[in-house]
Amino acid sequence: MTGAGRGPWRWLALLLFGYVLARPVSNNHVLVPVLGLIGLLAAGTVLLSRRRLDAAFVPALLITFLFALVGLAAGPTNPGFTGAALVFVAAPLLWWTCAVAVDERTLRGLFTTAAVVTVFVGGTIALYVGQNTGALPALLPGWLLEQYGAGYGELAGSGLGGADYTEVRFYALSTLVATGPMWIASLFVTRDQLLPPWWLRAFAAAAATAGTLSGGRRAIALVLVLAPVILWVLRWAVTRTGVPTTPGRGGPLLLLGGLAGLLALVFDPGLLGRGVVGAALLSLSSFVTGRAFVGASAGEDQIRAHESDVLLEAWAESPVFGHGLGATISGYWRDPVEPWRWELQYHGLLLQTGVVGVLLVLFGAAATCAAVLRAVRARPELTPSLLVACTGAAGMLIGNASNPYLQAPGHVWAIFLPVAVANLMLRSAQRPPGADRDLHPAPVGAGVQHREGSAP
């Protein structure tokens, strides 16, 4: 996500970002150099173009590395110390630099790249499931499936779980945790200068939905369902700042979708209890209400519930500062190679950094939200892009609660995309009249209206 200058450097930055989206995990022999080159491009852009972080984001920046310092200092001899340093120091440093480096044209290219890759990933997963079920001929080449570590399986439903659903292994499936909610949310906002055309956003949303439903990942299915709700909450927060927002084209889509869902439930009341969406809702209900886990995923849910108990018990032994980043639990692990990693990321952070770490995370989140709201007031015409990026970040944060997505640097971009958009909004609003913004004026009717005195 770099803002590498102009011409070929910008295209190189977009190609590298596209690779990160298309292959966010595995094959570190390629991914690590790609991330390193992105960092070099971003750092070079910051130095040569004199880009800088707006003062509103400085508290969040400091808290990011203060959290890492406190967590690492609490356990310098922990087995996972080096891995934790990479996750909590190197990865944030990379993406903070990228967030500062981007300009308007690069951001517009990043959104378009994300949409194109989403179409590729979601469509490929749907085709893969189709050819495994016999609904489609074998269209995907074997070398592509091998590169993505593709695997196919079926989960048998039982009780309230109802019918079977498929579950696939595909390295890029986790990208949909952020891009799926992004493009679904984008259907409910008007287009501004940064977002791709509506048809491409709709195509990306459809591909993400198809890939998620056929891929069988409950966390992704849940965030897709929640995407309109997340957007509504974000829009409500924006309107509280006094900046109006427009409903966009998504209003009719939401109404039609709601009516279709209602009719489906009338004719088939057990619909929510089947498939990957039903499994996700059942799992969430069990966690919230404490009822017994049922259905095809009951075994996985029981393992996570046990993991939650173990992590909380271990945290209680050192509740204030925790056991340090990279700490392990004697006699318990989910990964024998890296026993400091667990599915329940937030429970794990509580264990490793204690109450102090949690407070730092909350302070950092509050500081980031305050800066984002200032950005809305600075350049309200770019609010649609900011809402879309924030929805993607929220999707990644929600999915990370039950899956270790943010342990991989190739997923952290989703958290910093809103920072990049907001920082650009703040910095560009401070430029003198007539300064080049690398953007054409917004088309008539796109986004919200300019406030008097705001930058064009």
Side-chain angles (χ1 to χ4, degrees):
M1 196 169 65
T2 85
R6 302 175 185 271
W9 295 112
R10 179 179 283 112
W11 282 106
L12 177 59
L14 296 177
L15 286 173
L16 294 172
F17 178 64
Y19 178 86
V20 172
L21 293 179
R23 192 71 182 272
V25 295
S26 188
N27 198 8
N28 287 335
H29 294 296
V30 177
L31 182 60
V32 172
V34 165
L35 292 173
L37 185 52
I38 288 176
L40 288 176
L41 287 172
T45 301
V46 170
L47 294 175
L48 295 177
S49 300
R50 297 182 180 181
R51 307 267 167 81
R52 63 189 181 91
L53 187 69
D54 190 85
F57 277 109
V58 170
L61 172 71
L62 296 177
I63 291 174
T64 299
F65 295 105
L66 178 61
F67 171 83
L69 177 62
V70 171
L72 292 172
T77 61
N78 286 338
F81 181 89
T82 302
L86 292 174
V87 171
F88 294 100
V89 178
L93 179 61
L94 165 67
W95 297 113
W96 270 113
T97 306
C98 293
V100 176
V102 293
D103 60 11
E104 290 92 336
R105 286 184 181 176
T106 305
L107 264 178
R108 184 166 52 198
L110 291 174
F111 275 110
T112 300
T113 300
V116 171
V117 173
T118 301
V119 171
F120 167 74
V121 171
T124 302
I125 293 172
L127 287 175
Y128 175 63
V129 173
Q131 72 181 36
N132 274 277
T133 58
L136 296 172
L139 301 172
L140 300 174
W143 62 264
L144 177 65
L145 298 178
E146 182 179 352
Q147 284 296 313
Y148 276 99
Y152 175 82
E154 294 183 353
L155 295 179
S158 61
L160 293 178
D164 301 344
Y165 68 92
T166 60
E167 186 175 77
V168 304
R169 182 180 68 251
F170 201 85
Y171 290 147
L173 183 57
S174 51
T175 292
L176 301 182
V177 181
T179 60
M182 274 178 56
W183 300 124
I184 288 179
S186 76
L187 302 180
F188 301 96
V189 299
T190 53
R191 183 188 181 189
D192 59 18
Q193 299 101 305
L194 301 180
L195 291 175
W198 193 88
W199 65 265
L200 179 55
R201 289 181 275 147
F203 202 8
T209 302
T212 297
L213 295 180
S214 58
R217 285 294 184 267
R218 292 172 294 155
I220 309 178
L222 180 62
V223 295
L224 288 187
V225 172
L226 291 178
V229 179
I230 295 170
L231 178 66
W232 180 85
V233 172
L234 293 172
R235 180 176 282 157
W236 172 82
V238 167
T239 57
R240 297 277 293 178
T241 67
V243 177
T245 59
T246 54
R249 299 187 182 186
L253 287 177
L254 183 61
L255 180 60
L256 289 175
L259 289 175
L262 231 95
L263 288 173
L265 288 175
V266 168
F267 288 104
D268 187 0
L271 183 63
L272 290 180
R274 295 199 301 270
V276 63
V277 176
L281 295 176
L282 285 171
S283 297
L284 180 62
S285 174
S286 296
F287 275 111
V288 172
T289 63
R291 294 176 182 171
F293 297 107
V294 295
S297 304
E300 295 180 8
D301 291 334
Q302 290 167 356
I303 291 174
R304 284 188 171 90
H306 176 63
E307 181 177 301
S308 171
D309 294 337
V310 172
L311 292 174
L312 291 176
E313 288 175 5
W315 161 70
E317 298 173 2
S318 181
V320 179
F321 288 98
H323 298 270
L325 291 171
T328 59
I329 299 175
S330 177
Y332 182 83
W333 61 83
R334 292 304 310 277
D335 183 350
V337 178
E338 296 180 324
W340 53 86
R341 297 185 188 273
W342 299 282
E343 288 92 339
L344 303 180
Q345 289 295 287
Y346 302 133
H347 292 72
L349 287 179
L350 180 62
L351 160 74
Q352 294 174 335
T353 64
V355 175
V356 172
V358 171
L359 290 176
L360 286 174
V361 169
L362 293 176
F363 289 148
T368 302
C369 290
V372 167
L373 291 177
R374 285 187 60 180
V376 170
R377 292 190 291 267
R379 287 194 66 184
E381 73 275 14
L382 292 182
T383 298
S385 292
L386 187 58
L387 290 174
V388 169
C390 287
T391 304
M396 181 62 74
L397 290 171
I398 292 171
N400 189 61
S402 60
N403 297 271
Y405 295 126
L406 292 178
Q407 286 287 327
H411 294 137
V412 180
W413 66 268
I415 308 303
F416 284 91
L417 182 59
V419 175
V421 176
N423 187 65
L424 180 141
M425 294 166 71
L426 290 166
R427 297 302 304 154
S428 59
Q430 298 172 11
R431 295 180 189 176
D436 178 25
R437 278 201 183 133
D438 284 337
L439 271 183
H440 301 294
V444 176
V448 295
Q449 294 182 345
H450 296 271
R451 296 184 303 163
E452 182 179 354
S454 66

